[in-house]
Amino acid sequence: TRVTTLRRACDPAEVGEVAEVLAAVVRAALGHDPRFDLLFPGDTTFAGPREAYRDLLARGGRLKANPDARRQTPGEEPAPQLEPEPQAPTPAPPAVLRPSAPSGPGSAPPSRPPLGPSGSPGGGR
């Protein structure tokens, strides 16, 4: 298998070198991740960068690694870190008010007078 790494802020010819793989990856992400849908609203061919790479090769040019860049052994690149999911604030449970028990004599609520034969308080007088 061949491993290709694409860094950000690349020259169009550098993008063109990996355009075939890049196009397949972006096409697979379309419709699944709205960020890709926004960045690539239909054109995932990378035709411009492919042409720039072909022109570079046609003129006898080639892409060279930066001699000052730190060399990495295969598989040394760290795995991408997943961004933590934002946590929704936990709503506080509603306060439950419970009536307190009467404490001591005279603390009970006043009682109603008994209903009379007519169903009214005090006998309907």
Side-chain angles (χ1 to χ4, degrees):
T1 63
R2 182 175 163 215
V3 176
T4 305
T5 302
L6 175 66
R7 304 272 183 209
R8 63 182 180 267
C10 291
D11 180 77
E14 293 171 314
V15 175
E17 182 184 32
V18 297
E20 183 179 338
V21 172
L22 187 59
V25 169
V26 171
R27 275 193 307 272
L30 290 175
H32 298 284
D33 189 330
R35 294 174 291 187
F36 285 95
D37 297 340
L38 179 67
L39 292 172
F40 302 98
D43 182 22
T44 59
T45 62
F46 297 93
R50 285 179 195 240
E51 186 64 30
Y53 182 63
R54 281 194 290 268
D55 289 346
L56 175 70
L57 295 178
R59 293 189 316 259
R62 64 185 177 99
L63 296 175
K64 298 186 293 185
N66 180 350
D68 298 329
R70 182 176 64 93
R71 257 207 138 111
Q72 294 181 338
T73 58
E76 184 180 327
E77 278 194 40
Q81 299 296 315
L82 296 176
E83 294 180 18
E85 293 292 324
Q87 296 293 328
T90 307
V96 177
L97 299 177
R98 296 184 182 171
S100 59
S103 58
S107 61
S111 60
R112 293 187 177 169
L115 298 178
S118 65
S120 60
R125 294 181 246 183

